[in-house]
mmCIF file of all heavy atoms in Angstrom:
data_model
loop_
_atom_site.group_PDB
_atom_site.id
_atom_site.type_symbol
_atom_site.label_atom_id
_atom_site.label_comp_id
_atom_site.label_asym_id
_atom_site.label_seq_id
_atom_site.Cartn_x
_atom_site.Cartn_y
_atom_site.Cartn_z
ATOM 1 N N LEU A 11 51.392 -71.746 19.622
ATOM 2 C CA LEU A 11 52.276 -70.683 20.029
ATOM 3 C C LEU A 11 51.630 -69.964 21.205
ATOM 4 O O LEU A 11 50.450 -69.571 21.018
ATOM 5 C CB LEU A 11 52.799 -69.712 18.947
ATOM 6 C CG LEU A 11 53.660 -68.623 19.296
ATOM 7 C CD1 LEU A 11 55.103 -69.073 19.368
ATOM 8 C CD2 LEU A 11 53.476 -67.477 18.416
ATOM 9 N N GLY A 12 52.331 -69.721 22.252
ATOM 10 C CA GLY A 12 51.857 -68.754 23.310
ATOM 11 C C GLY A 12 52.923 -67.760 23.813
ATOM 12 O O GLY A 12 54.130 -68.230 23.914
ATOM 13 N N LYS A 13 52.540 -66.634 24.218
ATOM 14 C CA LYS A 13 53.583 -65.705 24.805
ATOM 15 C C LYS A 13 52.965 -65.058 25.996
ATOM 16 O O LYS A 13 51.919 -64.573 25.933
ATOM 17 C CB LYS A 13 53.996 -64.682 23.814
ATOM 18 C CG LYS A 13 54.927 -63.573 24.303
ATOM 19 C CD LYS A 13 56.290 -64.140 24.459
ATOM 20 C CE LYS A 13 57.254 -63.047 25.051
ATOM 21 N NZ LYS A 13 58.577 -63.577 25.246
ATOM 22 N N GLN A 14 53.607 -65.316 27.142
ATOM 23 C CA GLN A 14 53.044 -64.677 28.439
ATOM 24 C C GLN A 14 53.897 -63.502 28.782
ATOM 25 O O GLN A 14 55.088 -63.613 28.673
ATOM 26 C CB GLN A 14 53.087 -65.766 29.450
ATOM 27 C CG GLN A 14 52.248 -65.355 30.577
ATOM 28 C CD GLN A 14 52.246 -66.493 31.671
ATOM 29 O OE1 GLN A 14 53.362 -67.015 31.997
ATOM 30 N NE2 GLN A 14 50.969 -66.962 32.262
ATOM 31 N N ILE A 93 58.172 -62.306 17.661
ATOM 32 C CA ILE A 93 58.563 -63.709 17.770
ATOM 33 C C ILE A 93 59.116 -64.390 16.503
ATOM 34 O O ILE A 93 60.130 -64.992 16.467
ATOM 35 C CB ILE A 93 57.407 -64.511 18.396
ATOM 36 C CG1 ILE A 93 57.137 -64.176 19.833
ATOM 37 C CG2 ILE A 93 57.613 -66.078 18.344
ATOM 38 C CD1 ILE A 93 55.931 -64.735 20.481
ATOM 39 N N THR A 98 62.185 -61.856 20.239
ATOM 40 C CA THR A 98 61.785 -62.378 21.557
ATOM 41 C C THR A 98 61.323 -63.836 21.382
ATOM 42 O O THR A 98 61.013 -64.145 20.221
ATOM 43 C CB THR A 98 60.707 -61.486 22.236
ATOM 44 O OG1 THR A 98 60.361 -62.064 23.401
ATOM 45 C CG2 THR A 98 59.431 -61.534 21.392
ATOM 46 N N GLY A 99 61.370 -64.637 22.419
ATOM 47 C CA GLY A 99 61.164 -65.993 22.210
ATOM 48 C C GLY A 99 59.740 -66.281 22.642
ATOM 49 O O GLY A 99 59.102 -65.403 23.446
ATOM 50 N N PRO A 100 59.018 -67.407 22.103
ATOM 51 C CA PRO A 100 57.769 -67.806 22.663
ATOM 52 C C PRO A 100 57.776 -68.371 24.126
ATOM 53 O O PRO A 100 58.800 -68.907 24.554
ATOM 54 C CB PRO A 100 57.342 -68.772 21.700
ATOM 55 C CG PRO A 100 58.473 -69.453 21.117
ATOM 56 C CD PRO A 100 59.596 -68.379 21.219
ATOM 57 N N THR A 101 56.649 -68.290 24.879
ATOM 58 C CA THR A 101 56.628 -68.952 26.218
ATOM 59 C C THR A 101 56.364 -70.399 25.991
ATOM 60 O O THR A 101 57.044 -71.267 26.600
ATOM 61 C CB THR A 101 55.545 -68.395 26.972
ATOM 62 O OG1 THR A 101 55.669 -66.895 26.970
ATOM 63 C CG2 THR A 101 55.635 -68.768 28.487
ATOM 64 N N VAL A 102 55.440 -70.738 25.082
ATOM 65 C CA VAL A 102 55.186 -72.150 24.712
ATOM 66 C C VAL A 102 55.034 -72.130 23.255
ATOM 67 O O VAL A 102 54.840 -71.130 22.565
ATOM 68 C CB VAL A 102 53.988 -72.730 25.340
ATOM 69 C CG1 VAL A 102 54.049 -72.873 26.820
ATOM 70 C CG2 VAL A 102 52.734 -71.941 24.932
ATOM 71 N N GLY A 103 55.127 -73.347 22.783
ATOM 72 C CA GLY A 103 54.827 -73.569 21.320
ATOM 73 C C GLY A 103 56.023 -73.544 20.374
ATOM 74 O O GLY A 103 57.231 -73.482 20.919
ATOM 75 N N ASP A 104 55.848 -73.550 19.150
ATOM 76 C CA ASP A 104 56.925 -73.913 18.212
ATOM 77 C C ASP A 104 56.746 -73.073 17.004
ATOM 78 O O ASP A 104 55.640 -72.971 16.435
ATOM 79 C CB ASP A 104 56.821 -75.462 17.915
ATOM 80 C CG ASP A 104 58.127 -75.973 17.344
ATOM 81 O OD1 ASP A 104 59.112 -75.450 17.783
ATOM 82 O OD2 ASP A 104 58.043 -76.795 16.447
ATOM 83 N N ILE A 105 57.840 -72.468 16.429
ATOM 84 C CA ILE A 105 57.763 -71.769 15.163
ATOM 85 C C ILE A 105 58.886 -72.335 14.214
ATOM 86 O O ILE A 105 60.045 -72.677 14.772
ATOM 87 C CB ILE A 105 57.925 -70.208 15.229
ATOM 88 C CG1 ILE A 105 59.265 -69.938 15.996
ATOM 89 C CG2 ILE A 105 56.697 -69.667 15.958
ATOM 90 C CD1 ILE A 105 59.630 -68.459 15.664
#
Side-chain angles (χ1 to χ4, degrees):
L11 179 83
K13 175 77 181 176
Q14 198 183 46
I93 293 174
T98 182
T101 311
V102 291
D104 201 31
I105 57 161

